[in-house]
mmCIF file with all atom_site columns, all heavy atoms in Angstrom:
data_model
loop_
_atom_site.group_PDB
_atom_site.id
_atom_site.type_symbol
_atom_site.label_atom_id
_atom_site.label_alt_id
_atom_site.label_comp_id
_atom_site.label_asym_id
_atom_site.label_entity_id
_atom_site.label_seq_id
_atom_site.pdbx_PDB_ins_code
_atom_site.Cartn_x
_atom_site.Cartn_y
_atom_site.Cartn_z
_atom_site.occupancy
_atom_site.B_iso_or_equiv
_atom_site.pdbx_formal_charge
_atom_site.auth_seq_id
_atom_site.auth_comp_id
_atom_site.auth_asym_id
_atom_site.auth_atom_id
_atom_site.pdbx_PDB_model_num
ATOM 1  N N   . TYR S 1 64 ? 3.905  1.896  -9.637  1.00 79.00 ? 64 TYR S N   1
ATOM 2  C CA  . TYR S 1 64 ? 3.690  3.067  -8.754  1.00 79.00 ? 64 TYR S CA  1
ATOM 3  C C   . TYR S 1 64 ? 2.342  3.583  -9.252  1.00 79.00 ? 64 TYR S C   1
ATOM 4  O O   . TYR S 1 64 ? 2.265  4.776  -9.305  1.00 79.00 ? 64 TYR S O   1
ATOM 5  C CB  . TYR S 1 64 ? 4.831  3.976  -8.807  1.00 79.00 ? 64 TYR S CB  1
ATOM 6  C CG  . TYR S 1 64 ? 6.169  3.665  -8.268  1.00 79.00 ? 64 TYR S CG  1
ATOM 7  C CD1 . TYR S 1 64 ? 6.399  2.276  -7.905  1.00 79.00 ? 64 TYR S CD1 1
ATOM 8  C CD2 . TYR S 1 64 ? 7.098  4.616  -8.208  1.00 79.00 ? 64 TYR S CD2 1
ATOM 9  C CE1 . TYR S 1 64 ? 7.525  2.004  -7.384  1.00 79.00 ? 64 TYR S CE1 1
ATOM 10 C CE2 . TYR S 1 64 ? 8.444  4.152  -7.708  1.00 79.00 ? 64 TYR S CE2 1
ATOM 11 C CZ  . TYR S 1 64 ? 8.530  2.749  -7.365  1.00 79.00 ? 64 TYR S CZ  1
ATOM 12 O OH  . TYR S 1 64 ? 9.867  2.465  -6.808  1.00 79.00 ? 64 TYR S OH  1
ATOM 13 N N   . THR S 1 65 ? 1.424  2.760  -9.385  1.00 78.00 ? 65 THR S N   1
ATOM 14 C CA  . THR S 1 65 ? 0.092  3.156  -9.969  1.00 78.00 ? 65 THR S CA  1
ATOM 15 C C   . THR S 1 65 ? -0.633 4.320  -9.224  1.00 78.00 ? 65 THR S C   1
ATOM 16 O O   . THR S 1 65 ? -1.029 5.236  -9.737  1.00 78.00 ? 65 THR S O   1
ATOM 17 C CB  . THR S 1 65 ? -0.700 1.881  -10.088 1.00 78.00 ? 65 THR S CB  1
ATOM 18 O OG1 . THR S 1 65 ? -0.129 0.935  -10.856 1.00 78.00 ? 65 THR S OG1 1
ATOM 19 C CG2 . THR S 1 65 ? -2.108 2.226  -10.884 1.00 78.00 ? 65 THR S CG2 1
ATOM 20 N N   . ASN S 1 66 ? -0.694 4.093  -7.962  1.00 77.00 ? 66 ASN S N   1
ATOM 21 C CA  . ASN S 1 66 ? -1.384 5.009  -7.113  1.00 77.00 ? 66 ASN S CA  1
ATOM 22 C C   . ASN S 1 66 ? -0.738 6.198  -7.119  1.00 77.00 ? 66 ASN S C   1
ATOM 23 O O   . ASN S 1 66 ? -1.359 7.408  -7.336  1.00 77.00 ? 66 ASN S O   1
ATOM 24 C CB  . ASN S 1 66 ? -1.421 4.420  -5.717  1.00 77.00 ? 66 ASN S CB  1
ATOM 25 C CG  . ASN S 1 66 ? -2.277 5.485  -4.694  1.00 77.00 ? 66 ASN S CG  1
ATOM 26 O OD1 . ASN S 1 66 ? -3.377 5.872  -5.044  1.00 77.00 ? 66 ASN S OD1 1
ATOM 27 N ND2 . ASN S 1 66 ? -1.601 5.835  -3.553  1.00 77.00 ? 66 ASN S ND2 1
ATOM 28 N N   . CYS S 1 67 ? 0.619  6.401  -7.165  1.00 77.00 ? 67 CYS S N   1
ATOM 29 C CA  . CYS S 1 67 ? 1.374  7.527  -7.214  1.00 77.00 ? 67 CYS S CA  1
ATOM 30 C C   . CYS S 1 67 ? 1.216  8.284  -8.562  1.00 77.00 ? 67 CYS S C   1
ATOM 31 O O   . CYS S 1 67 ? 0.976  9.553  -8.582  1.00 77.00 ? 67 CYS S O   1
ATOM 32 C CB  . CYS S 1 67 ? 2.768  7.440  -6.965  1.00 77.00 ? 67 CYS S CB  1
ATOM 33 S SG  . CYS S 1 67 ? 3.840  8.879  -6.852  1.00 77.00 ? 67 CYS S SG  1
ATOM 34 N N   . VAL S 1 68 ? 1.389  7.547  -9.533  1.00 73.00 ? 68 VAL S N   1
ATOM 35 C CA  . VAL S 1 68 ? 1.333  8.094  -10.943 1.00 73.00 ? 68 VAL S CA  1
ATOM 36 C C   . VAL S 1 68 ? -0.085 8.795  -11.157 1.00 73.00 ? 68 VAL S C   1
ATOM 37 O O   . VAL S 1 68 ? -0.352 9.861  -11.650 1.00 73.00 ? 68 VAL S O   1
ATOM 38 C CB  . VAL S 1 68 ? 1.676  7.126  -12.028 1.00 73.00 ? 68 VAL S CB  1
ATOM 39 C CG1 . VAL S 1 68 ? 1.480  7.618  -13.375 1.00 73.00 ? 68 VAL S CG1 1
ATOM 40 C CG2 . VAL S 1 68 ? 3.214  6.715  -11.853 1.00 73.00 ? 68 VAL S CG2 1
ATOM 41 N N   . MET S 1 69 ? -1.095 7.991  -10.858 1.00 78.00 ? 69 MET S N   1
ATOM 42 C CA  . MET S 1 69 ? -2.551 8.470  -11.051 1.00 78.00 ? 69 MET S CA  1
ATOM 43 C C   . MET S 1 69 ? -2.876 9.679  -10.170 1.00 78.00 ? 69 MET S C   1
ATOM 44 O O   . MET S 1 69 ? -3.427 10.510 -10.654 1.00 78.00 ? 69 MET S O   1
ATOM 45 C CB  . MET S 1 69 ? -3.530 7.303  -10.743 1.00 78.00 ? 69 MET S CB  1
ATOM 46 C CG  . MET S 1 69 ? -3.419 6.163  -11.671 1.00 78.00 ? 69 MET S CG  1
ATOM 47 S SD  . MET S 1 69 ? -4.509 4.766  -11.498 1.00 78.00 ? 69 MET S SD  1
ATOM 48 C CE  . MET S 1 69 ? -6.004 5.495  -11.939 1.00 78.00 ? 69 MET S CE  1
ATOM 49 N N   . THR S 1 70 ? -2.276 9.722  -8.976  1.00 75.00 ? 70 THR S N   1
ATOM 50 C CA  . THR S 1 70 ? -2.655 10.847 -8.029  1.00 75.00 ? 70 THR S CA  1
ATOM 51 C C   . THR S 1 70 ? -1.755 12.058 -8.538  1.00 75.00 ? 70 THR S C   1
ATOM 52 O O   . THR S 1 70 ? -2.300 13.142 -8.489  1.00 75.00 ? 70 THR S O   1
ATOM 53 C CB  . THR S 1 70 ? -2.354 10.467 -6.680  1.00 75.00 ? 70 THR S CB  1
ATOM 54 O OG1 . THR S 1 70 ? -3.115 9.280  -6.185  1.00 75.00 ? 70 THR S OG1 1
ATOM 55 C CG2 . THR S 1 70 ? -2.580 11.541 -5.674  1.00 75.00 ? 70 THR S CG2 1
ATOM 56 N N   . GLU S 1 71 ? -0.513 11.836 -8.630  1.00 73.00 ? 71 GLU S N   1
ATOM 57 C CA  . GLU S 1 71 ? 0.392  12.940 -8.825  1.00 73.00 ? 71 GLU S CA  1
ATOM 58 C C   . GLU S 1 71 ? 0.319  13.545 -10.278 1.00 73.00 ? 71 GLU S C   1
ATOM 59 O O   . GLU S 1 71 ? 0.474  14.798 -10.469 1.00 73.00 ? 71 GLU S O   1
ATOM 60 C CB  . GLU S 1 71 ? 1.889  12.603 -8.468  1.00 73.00 ? 71 GLU S CB  1
ATOM 61 C CG  . GLU S 1 71 ? 2.165  12.297 -7.165  1.00 73.00 ? 71 GLU S CG  1
ATOM 62 C CD  . GLU S 1 71 ? 2.053  13.573 -6.283  1.00 73.00 ? 71 GLU S CD  1
ATOM 63 O OE1 . GLU S 1 71 ? 2.632  14.621 -6.581  1.00 73.00 ? 71 GLU S OE1 1
ATOM 64 O OE2 . GLU S 1 71 ? 1.298  13.569 -5.254  1.00 73.00 ? 71 GLU S OE2 1
ATOM 65 N N   . GLU S 1 72 ? 0.158  12.661 -11.245 1.00 72.00 ? 72 GLU S N   1
ATOM 66 C CA  . GLU S 1 72 ? 0.143  13.119 -12.593 1.00 72.00 ? 72 GLU S CA  1
ATOM 67 C C   . GLU S 1 72 ? -1.190 13.225 -13.188 1.00 72.00 ? 72 GLU S C   1
ATOM 68 O O   . GLU S 1 72 ? -1.361 13.518 -14.377 1.00 72.00 ? 72 GLU S O   1
ATOM 69 C CB  . GLU S 1 72 ? 1.025  12.240 -13.474 1.00 72.00 ? 72 GLU S CB  1
ATOM 70 C CG  . GLU S 1 72 ? 2.558  12.361 -12.999 1.00 72.00 ? 72 GLU S CG  1
ATOM 71 C CD  . GLU S 1 72 ? 3.407  11.420 -13.830 1.00 72.00 ? 72 GLU S CD  1
ATOM 72 O OE1 . GLU S 1 72 ? 2.950  10.908 -14.988 1.00 72.00 ? 72 GLU S OE1 1
ATOM 73 O OE2 . GLU S 1 72 ? 4.485  11.092 -13.424 1.00 72.00 ? 72 GLU S OE2 1
ATOM 74 N N   . GLY S 1 73 ? -2.240 12.816 -12.418 1.00 75.00 ? 73 GLY S N   1
ATOM 75 C CA  . GLY S 1 73 ? -3.574 12.809 -12.920 1.00 75.00 ? 73 GLY S CA  1
ATOM 76 C C   . GLY S 1 73 ? -3.986 11.977 -14.073 1.00 75.00 ? 73 GLY S C   1
ATOM 77 O O   . GLY S 1 73 ? -4.818 12.149 -14.902 1.00 75.00 ? 73 GLY S O   1
ATOM 78 N N   . LYS S 1 74 ? -3.176 10.813 -14.105 1.00 75.00 ? 74 LYS S N   1
ATOM 79 C CA  . LYS S 1 74 ? -3.486 9.834  -15.226 1.00 75.00 ? 74 LYS S CA  1
ATOM 80 C C   . LYS S 1 74 ? -4.573 8.935  -14.833 1.00 75.00 ? 74 LYS S C   1
ATOM 81 O O   . LYS S 1 74 ? -4.708 8.567  -13.623 1.00 75.00 ? 74 LYS S O   1
ATOM 82 C CB  . LYS S 1 74 ? -2.117 9.088  -15.439 1.00 75.00 ? 74 LYS S CB  1
ATOM 83 C CG  . LYS S 1 74 ? -1.088 9.977  -16.173 1.00 75.00 ? 74 LYS S CG  1
ATOM 84 C CD  . LYS S 1 74 ? -0.008 9.063  -16.630 1.00 75.00 ? 74 LYS S CD  1
ATOM 85 C CE  . LYS S 1 74 ? 1.097  10.033 -17.325 1.00 75.00 ? 74 LYS S CE  1
ATOM 86 N NZ  . LYS S 1 74 ? 2.228  9.240  -18.092 1.00 75.00 ? 74 LYS S NZ  1
ATOM 87 N N   . LEU S 1 75 ? -5.154 8.437  -15.777 1.00 77.00 ? 75 LEU S N   1
ATOM 88 C CA  . LEU S 1 75 ? -6.078 7.429  -15.702 1.00 77.00 ? 75 LEU S CA  1
ATOM 89 C C   . LEU S 1 75 ? -5.582 5.983  -16.055 1.00 77.00 ? 75 LEU S C   1
ATOM 90 O O   . LEU S 1 75 ? -4.478 5.897  -16.582 1.00 77.00 ? 75 LEU S O   1
ATOM 91 C CB  . LEU S 1 75 ? -7.387 7.544  -16.622 1.00 77.00 ? 75 LEU S CB  1
ATOM 92 C CG  . LEU S 1 75 ? -8.056 8.977  -16.484 1.00 77.00 ? 75 LEU S CG  1
ATOM 93 C CD1 . LEU S 1 75 ? -9.152 9.226  -17.617 1.00 77.00 ? 75 LEU S CD1 1
ATOM 94 C CD2 . LEU S 1 75 ? -8.661 9.070  -15.162 1.00 77.00 ? 75 LEU S CD2 1
#
Side-chain angles (χ1 to χ4, degrees):
Y64 298 4
T65 307
N66 184 51
C67 181
V68 171
M69 290 176 77
T70 302
E71 292 295 308
E72 298 180 14
K74 291 191 177 187
L75 302 174

